[in-house]
Amino acid sequence: MTGSAGVISQYRFRGISQSNNLPAVQAALTVSHSSGFYVSTWGSSASASPAVNIGGTEIDVYGGFTHGIANSGVTFDVGLYGYIYPGAPGLNFYEVYGSLSKTLGPVNAKAGINFAPHQKNLDVYATRTDTYVYGELSGAIPNTPFTIHTHLGHTGGAFNYTKEYIDYTAGVSTTWKNLTLDFSVVGTNVSRSDAAANPFAGVSGEQMYRAGKTVGVVSLMATF
């Protein structure tokens, strides 16, 4: 059993602010078995913005199986992920996910896909499924206490944000005992003109842009 808890300067999900660019508290708990099976839960507070309102709280529940592929050094991870919004149950949805990861010298590489199939709470969207693909690279900086991490993802389908869009993260973290301090740059390729051309109903283009623009995000997490 492992877990974490901490604070973050704002909660971003696939590049989009879920907390109105305000701080949030987050926690997670994972129970894993030596066979490779695991179940986890993760939660975050949130503050409503004109562009995104998830009801004040998000609770994720997911489980899957991870294992190495023979002697290839490649590890796969597959499972089912549920997103629960107690204050806005009409937004609840689930995804199936899979990823492959491998260590390449000093660098850890990962590529994955999350797919949200047609389900009741996606009926309000023109496209009733969503596909998210991503890649990640991370690695320790030699002879320093710092680790660099990067993430690049693409959303296409029900969760388009003014358009099919790309999100990105680049950050550096350092750990002391059970505390990890991280600073990351997080954003999307949704420009001010994209937001102005295709905002959500009742939301201004500037409000849309604010939730997806590039920002610095700082977090402090404790693990146990």
Side-chain angles (χ1 to χ4, degrees):
M1 181 179 294
T2 59
S4 64
V7 294
I8 191 166
S9 60
Q10 64 170 283
Y11 168 30
R12 290 251 170 165
F13 176 69
R14 296 174 184 171
I16 307 298
S17 180
Q18 311 292 297
S19 62
N20 196 24
N21 292 24
L22 297 172
V25 294
Q26 300 180 339
L29 182 66
T30 298
V31 179
S32 56
H33 187 266
S34 58
S35 64
F37 287 100
Y38 62 89
V39 292
S40 297
T41 185
W42 177 93
S44 179
S45 64
S47 301
S49 75
V52 179
N53 181 3
I54 61 174
T57 306
E58 177 181 336
I59 300 173
D60 300 346
V61 179
Y62 57 100
F65 178 72
T66 183
H67 203 277
I69 301 176
N71 297 318
S72 65
V74 176
T75 299
F76 73 86
D77 185 8
V78 294
L80 182 68
Y81 204 113
Y83 301 81
I84 302 168
Y85 307 99
L91 300 179
N92 295 350
F93 71 100
Y94 68 90
E95 294 177 326
V96 291
Y97 64 86
S99 68
L100 296 173
S101 59
K102 182 178 175 63
T103 298
L104 304 168
V107 177
N108 300 312
K110 181 178 180 179
I113 182 170
N114 287 47
F115 177 68
H118 180 209
Q119 51 201 279
K120 181 179 179 181
N121 285 354
L122 298 189
D123 282 343
V124 298
Y125 303 103
T127 304
R128 297 180 180 182
T129 65
D130 188 82
T131 302
Y132 182 71
V133 294
Y134 66 92
E136 298 178 344
L137 294 173
S138 63
I141 302 175
N143 303 315
T144 76
F146 300 105
T147 297
I148 293 175
H149 58 90
T150 63
H151 172 99
L152 184 67
H154 176 271
T155 294
F159 303 136
N160 289 353
Y161 193 76
T162 77
K163 62 177 184 178
E164 291 191 11
Y165 74 96
I166 293 170
D167 72 276
Y168 48 83
T169 301
V172 60
S173 62
T174 185
T175 299
W176 179 74
K177 295 186 177 181
N178 68 326
L179 296 176
T180 298
L181 177 67
D182 182 88
F183 174 78
S184 295
V185 175
V186 183
T188 73
N189 70 334
V190 175
S191 66
R192 185 174 267 108
S193 59
D194 291 329
N198 192 26
F200 295 158
V203 182
S204 73
E206 190 60 30
Q207 290 166 335
M208 294 287 293
Y209 174 69
R210 180 176 180 269
K213 69 178 183 179
T214 301
V215 296
V217 177
V218 180
S219 68
L220 179 63
M221 296 288 169
T223 57
F224 55 87

